[in-house]
Amino acid sequence: MISRSWRIVCRRYSQTVTFRTTESSPSQHNEKQIGLFYSIKPDLCKQLFAHGGLPKSFSKQTKTFTETAIMVRQPALDLIDCIKATDFNKPVIRYVMYGEKGSGKSLTMAHLLHYAHEEGYLIIHVPWVSEFLRRVTRHKEMSNSQTHEGFVDLPLDVAAWLLHFKTQNQALLKNTELKISKSYVWSKRETTEAGAPLSQLVEHGINRVKYACDVLDALVYEIKQLSDNKQCKTFVAIDGYNGFFYPLTRLHTPTKKKVKPEEVTLTTSFLELTKNDWTNGVVVVTADQLALPDDNQESYLPRYLLYKKGFELLDPFVPIEVGRYSDKEFLSCASYYRDRLWLRGPPEIETELKFTSAGNPYKFMEQCAPL
């Protein structure tokens, strides 16, 4: 047990550096708040990230800290400023976040998702591409596509993603003005008529898992139509996007043949969203070394991680580097950890931690755990 006097010492030390901002609205964040933490309300956090979006280590930490606090950093502010200045009548602009492992790309994406939700965007968020293509659970269901010859479906994964989409956009999907433009025939008895609410299409994919992948195709088409017709603004966020371009997945057909990413129907659907043939939207993706096997992590630059196919698909794009902590950010994070009693010990220990972690956010968090 930590003595009461020790808690008082930690609390006094944490008060010497300002590490929080009371401004909880991402649209109001500015350079004065760089390095400061803001909290996301539990209900909103559950809505946006219940099905993924926060790194697992960070999610565990939020339970320990009894709050979800995200640092305001320059890359997020740069992206928000770019989005605010966007001409939505022009084709969508693609942004690629990159940086070394553990630099905070996923948390920057979480900050942007909060901004998109607050600004009323329809959110299409893929928490981690490799969950579909490289993580093969014991009971992962895979079937040959009935509508795309030579392709395979991942119906359970897509149905789970549709539930994620429904949860994130629960308020917007209640808007009866968001209607589908054409009829979709699923079987002799099942049809989704033109003019039906978009939510009906989503519900069909969740309730009839067999058709989930075809529903995803239809959903992507309809959202692009709705965006082009100025009926909604769309925010596409894909974490670990380069996973779509690694030559092989860990999926196998019944004949033990390895499946390529482009042979999976959901790959085609999500890549369709990252083309710039539509308007009234924003596309933000991350290129992450962790989305590739260990022997393919030589560089964290987009040209290497996206391979030729991915680079050409996104070109032209706006690169946004997410780097290590600055001195100010490091001190702010150390003060926050002390406030949460995650970091203890004399002040001098921070100098050592800055050296051993090299200012890498993930390494710093990891090294503070046993202290």
Side-chain angles (χ1 to χ4, degrees), residues 255-357:
T255 58
K256 302 299 180 184
K257 177 193 170 187
K258 285 194 173 183
V259 178
K260 297 177 182 177
E262 60 267 27
E263 295 172 340
V264 183
T265 50
L266 64 83
T267 298
T268 306
S269 301
F270 288 127
L271 290 186
E272 190 67 29
L273 284 164
T274 59
K275 294 179 180 177
N276 64 342
D277 58 355
W278 56 292
T279 60
N280 207 28
V282 178
V283 177
V284 182
V285 304
T286 69
D288 199 317
Q289 289 171 292
L290 294 173
L292 303 179
D294 291 339
D295 56 351
N296 285 268
Q297 298 183 5
E298 294 174 15
S299 170
Y300 62 79
L301 297 176
R303 181 64 186 86
Y304 176 82
L305 293 175
L306 290 169
Y307 293 86
K308 183 181 178 183
K309 184 178 179 182
F311 193 89
E312 289 177 351
L313 178 68
L314 287 178
D315 191 41
F317 63 83
V318 179
I320 304 284
E321 183 174 8
V322 181
R324 301 175 183 181
Y325 279 151
S326 65
D327 290 342
K328 180 183 176 182
E329 289 172 336
F330 183 86
L331 288 173
S332 176
C333 188
S335 298
Y336 177 66
Y337 284 170
R338 285 189 180 278
D339 179 71
R340 298 286 97 186
L341 300 177
W342 187 253
L343 172 61
R344 291 172 286 184
E348 295 78 23
I349 199 172
E350 290 170 22
T351 306
E352 295 179 25
L353 286 168
K354 191 172 190 304
F355 177 76
T356 56
S357 67

Side-chain angles (χ1 to χ4, degrees), residues 91-102:
V92 293
I93 298 175
R94 283 82 60 87
Y95 300 92
V96 177
M97 288 195 292
Y98 68 99
E100 62 184 24
K101 290 183 280 189

Side-chain angles (χ1 to χ4, degrees), residues 187-208:
S187 66
K188 291 181 180 178
R189 296 182 180 180
E190 295 172 290
T191 305
T192 304
E193 298 292 344
L198 189 67
S199 57
Q200 188 175 321
L201 188 65
V202 177
E203 289 290 350
H204 185 74
I206 295 169
N207 297 328
R208 297 287 285 126

Side-chain angles (χ1 to χ4, degrees), residues 91-343:
V92 293
I93 298 175
R94 283 82 60 87
Y95 300 92
V96 177
M97 288 195 292
Y98 68 99
E100 62 184 24
K101 290 183 280 189
S103 60
K105 296 180 289 297
S106 295
L107 290 181
T108 300
M109 184 74 86
H111 192 173
L112 294 170
L113 286 169
H114 186 190
Y115 168 79
H117 171 79
E118 188 183 65
E119 293 296 304
Y121 283 83
L122 185 71
I123 297 172
I124 300 178
H125 174 223
V126 179
W128 190 240
V129 169
S130 294
E131 284 288 320
F132 297 136
L133 304 178
R134 299 202 56 76
R135 185 178 178 185
V136 182
T137 59
R138 189 176 178 185
H139 304 291
K140 198 175 190 79
E141 183 174 325
M142 187 176 71
S143 60
N144 292 324
S145 175
Q146 300 298 310
T147 52
H148 298 80
E149 188 177 349
F151 284 73
V152 297
D153 286 343
L154 301 175
L156 289 179
D157 286 326
V158 174
W161 182 87
L162 288 170
L163 181 60
H164 176 55
F165 173 81
K166 176 188 171 184
T167 305
Q168 285 188 321
N169 299 287
Q170 53 191 253
L172 280 175
L173 290 176
K174 291 176 183 175
N175 182 1
T176 54
E177 295 301 311
L178 296 180
K179 299 178 180 178
I180 61 176
S181 61
K182 61 182 182 180
S183 298
Y184 294 93
V185 179
W186 313 109
S187 66
K188 291 181 180 178
R189 296 182 180 180
E190 295 172 290
T191 305
T192 304
E193 298 292 344
L198 189 67
S199 57
Q200 188 175 321
L201 188 65
V202 177
E203 289 290 350
H204 185 74
I206 295 169
N207 297 328
R208 297 287 285 126
V209 176
K210 176 182 178 182
Y211 302 112
C213 294
D214 292 329
V215 165
L216 178 59
D217 265 348
L219 183 66
V220 167
Y221 172 81
E222 294 296 340
I223 287 174
K224 290 177 81 168
Q225 292 295 311
L226 289 167
S227 293
D228 279 334
N229 296 331
K230 304 295 185 283
Q231 290 178 272
C232 69
K233 287 192 299 182
T234 305
F235 187 90
V236 178
I238 303 179
D239 206 352
Y241 178 76
N242 51 308
F244 283 132
F245 305 104
Y246 183 69
L248 292 172
T249 68
R250 287 182 180 166
L251 305 172
H252 294 81
T253 64
T255 58
K256 302 299 180 184
K257 177 193 170 187
K258 285 194 173 183
V259 178
K260 297 177 182 177
E262 60 267 27
E263 295 172 340
V264 183
T265 50
L266 64 83
T267 298
T268 306
S269 301
F270 288 127
L271 290 186
E272 190 67 29
L273 284 164
T274 59
K275 294 179 180 177
N276 64 342
D277 58 355
W278 56 292
T279 60
N280 207 28
V282 178
V283 177
V284 182
V285 304
T286 69
D288 199 317
Q289 289 171 292
L290 294 173
L292 303 179
D294 291 339
D295 56 351
N296 285 268
Q297 298 183 5
E298 294 174 15
S299 170
Y300 62 79
L301 297 176
R303 181 64 186 86
Y304 176 82
L305 293 175
L306 290 169
Y307 293 86
K308 183 181 178 183
K309 184 178 179 182
F311 193 89
E312 289 177 351
L313 178 68
L314 287 178
D315 191 41
F317 63 83
V318 179
I320 304 284
E321 183 174 8
V322 181
R324 301 175 183 181
Y325 279 151
S326 65
D327 290 342
K328 180 183 176 182
E329 289 172 336
F330 183 86
L331 288 173
S332 176
C333 188
S335 298
Y336 177 66
Y337 284 170
R338 285 189 180 278
D339 179 71
R340 298 286 97 186
L341 300 177
W342 187 253
L343 172 61

